[in-house]
Amino acid sequence: QVQLVESGGGLVQPGGSLRLSCVASGIIFDSNYLGWYRQVPGKQRELVAEITGGGDTQYPDSVKDRFTISRDHSKNTVYLQMNSLKPEDTAVYYCRSNGLDTRYRYHEVWGQGTQVTVSS
């Protein structure tokens, strides 16, 4: 069964950095899109960063040049490095996987989220 577990959120001052981790189990790593999304109460969940099985990445303008998504195949983990954080980055951050599980069945699975708060 596919499972995603996020960690690394917390309170940070503006201009600071955080690194989020998402450990994925039960997926064929190179056959999946892995992404980070964020959501503020009352607003729609939005894409923050995405990486394909082939290593291509995608970022919206709001985080481009500040956030970096990466992955470690040996640990089945995807990371989100967040630098130069702004108060507007405050949100619950979610990890998402879609693609094939280890039994070659399609899935779309979300983690439970980790809170990031940027405040002085």
Side-chain angles (χ1 to χ4, degrees):
Q1 184 175 355
V2 176
Q3 185 177 15
L4 306 176
V5 180
E6 303 103 327
S7 63
L11 175 64
V12 65
Q13 292 183 329
S17 299
L18 284 174
R19 190 181 201 186
L20 307 182
S21 299
C22 173
V23 179
S25 60
I27 70 170
I28 300 177
F29 209 82
D30 291 341
S31 297
N32 280 265
Y33 284 62
L34 295 168
W36 288 97
Y37 293 72
R38 66 187 181 188
Q39 188 168 27
V40 176
K43 295 186 177 181
Q44 188 174 353
R45 191 171 298 184
E46 65 173 347
L47 175 70
V48 174
E50 188 174 59
I51 187 167
T52 70
D56 297 322
T57 58
Q58 178 183 347
Y59 307 92
D61 290 339
S62 60
V63 307
K64 187 167 54 179
D65 300 324
R66 298 190 299 119
F67 292 8
T68 303
I69 188 170
S70 62
R71 61 188 182 187
D72 186 333
H73 290 262
S74 66
K75 298 180 179 179
N76 284 347
T77 301
V78 61
Y79 303 96
L80 183 67
Q81 178 67 45
M82 304 185 293
N83 299 324
S84 301
L85 283 162
K86 305 174 181 179
E88 307 94 271
D89 297 318
T90 296
V92 177
Y93 284 70
Y94 297 89
C95 183
R96 173 183 176 265
S97 172
N98 73 287
L100 299 179
D101 65 18
T102 52
R103 298 189 66 181
Y104 304 98
R105 299 173 298 189
Y106 176 80
H107 70 272
E108 182 182 12
V109 174
W110 294 85
Q112 293 187 344
T114 183
Q115 176 71 47
V116 172
T117 302
V118 185
S119 176
S120 60

